[in-house]
Amino acid sequence: SSNGKLLVSGDHDAVRLWDATTGAELLTLREEATHTLRRGMTVALSRDGTLIASGGTDKAVRLWSVASGKEVYTFRGHVGLVTAMAFTADGRRLLSTGNDGTVRVWDVSRALDHLALPGASDASFNPDGTRLVSWVGSPSAKEPGLVKVWDTGTGAELLNLRGHTGTLGAAGFSPDGGRILSSSLRIPMGEGEDKMWDAATGREIFTLPRQTGSGGLLSLSPDGSRIVSSARGTADDTPGEARILDAHSGRELLALHGSALGCCFHFSPDGKRVSGWMRATGEGGPPMELTIWDADNGEVTRVLRGGVGQGIRFSGGSPGRPSGAYVSPQFSRDSRWLAMLCAVKLPRQFGIGVWEIATGRQAFCHETAAPLTLTFSPEGDRIAVANLDGTTNVVDATTGQQMLVLRGHDGRVNSVAFSPDAKRLATSGQDRTVRLWDAVSGQEILTLRAGAPVSFVRFSKDGRLIATGEGGLIATGGAVAALVRIWDAPPHPPQ
């Protein structure tokens, strides 16, 4: 270290940190404990003594926290043995050389999260990435859910939105960042309420009640002018239809015809259509079918057959608590296509299918290993699918041809997201890691180490930041996340 008090060494099976004055061994990182150290290892210690870097025959450069003794980051890029490493004087960069003939410079400052928000179930960025809204489902059995707004640069809490009477199910900014929409549910009754807030002052703009068993949260139109709500009961408790409302006043604009007892309504990216799951009328097929409505007149325009609605089911029989098997339908950005779970062979063999919305034609059904969630690339030409077996598939969105299989997670992949420039792909898993991949070549760029299973990963709209959640509904079966972290996202694969 720069003060001469610490010394780091590496041999064939361990990295050791020593007191350079007394010779006492302060920290040992062993291969049998970490499964990451390799024969032929090289090591380096940051000048302030807080980080250790190690590299070897596994071609990776790894960062370790001296305080915790845990691996906190993995850089990938060398294609051969890592032969030497050194930190820069300010500790912000790390140089490494390899027998592949390359010298690489790594941005160490990006390897450590710069913001950690405790006790949040989920989070999302505002449009310019300067603020984050987080929500906790319910801090305890006796407390309602909480919605908070944070400054992503300083970590300062800006707003604490109180008023919900049940467990929070979602919260997010409007497209212009000026409002916040949040939804809650009272369990086991299944009733709920949705609230609109002023994002600058925290003032509650309006509240919309939701009927028992309506099973779904609100969705904003892409321009932020309208809301599609879950179905609402009538005065005599007859199931009502889902409605499209004015997002500024909460005033009802029209009803979606035939939508009683439907759920999970979403606007298409062009704002012209609404999708939602409805009970199927045929025998022997999936119990739910995806229906498309015209958002201007509320008329049904298409029923997409061949999709699987069994993906919508609830944990432990509690309404409104989606299990990890729920695969949400996704529109392509141009609103021409819709991807969702498809039946390869009922009742247990599934894949990812794509439908042309204008005709209702199913373009393909690509079998994957127990799909959990999916997302279109920003251009709409690819679909990434996170799977239960630890893999992530990238398929051509028009043909279903498999383009990449990303392997690295040990256990289920809980979340997947493309960067806004479509050059990177982020995945989070039950193995307590977040992995960043080159979305074209499939090469793993880096690995972020978390302290618990990571339930979600999201990019900010400018691609500079990544938000991750440790714990959460998917990862822990009902407990709130232990932590939401914000990381700097490298703009390009490290060179």
Side-chain angles (χ1 to χ4, degrees), residues 93-263:
R93 291 177 174 80
L94 177 71
L95 284 69
S96 65
T97 62
N99 67 0
D100 56 3
T102 66
V103 177
R104 296 180 182 266
V105 181
W106 312 93
D107 189 343
V108 174
S109 64
R110 296 185 183 278
L112 305 174
D113 61 272
H114 71 255
L115 181 61
L117 311 175
S121 298
D122 207 337
S124 60
F125 291 102
N126 73 336
D128 65 9
T130 59
R131 292 186 293 165
L132 186 91
V133 59
S134 72
W135 53 271
V136 55
S138 182
S140 71
K142 297 181 179 180
E143 296 180 86
L146 301 175
V147 180
K148 294 186 177 184
V149 178
W150 309 81
D151 185 301
T152 59
T154 66
E157 181 182 316
L158 303 177
L159 295 173
N160 188 344
L161 307 180
R162 297 179 179 274
H164 279 285
T165 58
T167 298
L168 261 294
F173 285 97
S174 61
D176 63 1
R179 289 160 294 153
I180 295 171
L181 183 63
S182 59
S183 298
S184 67
L185 188 74
R186 289 186 291 277
I187 298 174
M189 296 84 73
E191 300 172 340
E193 60 193 6
D194 307 290
K195 293 180 179 289
M196 186 72 80
W197 314 81
D198 185 300
T201 65
R203 177 180 63 87
E204 183 179 321
I205 300 173
F206 59 78
T207 296
L208 301 171
R210 198 152 17 93
Q211 76 175 61
T212 300
S214 60
L217 305 175
L218 268 71
S219 171
L220 269 170
S221 62
D223 64 1
S225 66
R226 294 169 296 166
I227 301 169
V228 58
S229 77
S230 304
R232 181 182 179 184
T234 61
D236 60 358
D237 290 331
T238 302
E241 294 177 318
R243 302 159 297 150
I244 292 181
L245 313 169
D246 183 284
H248 298 280
S249 66
R251 178 176 60 88
E252 181 175 336
L253 301 176
L254 58 90
L256 299 181
H257 302 310
S259 62
L261 297 181
C263 76

Side-chain angles (χ1 to χ4, degrees), residues 346-361:
L346 290 174
R348 298 183 179 276
Q349 197 172 353
F350 303 113
I352 294 299
V354 168
W355 283 256
E356 185 178 29
I357 296 174
T359 64
R361 175 182 64 89

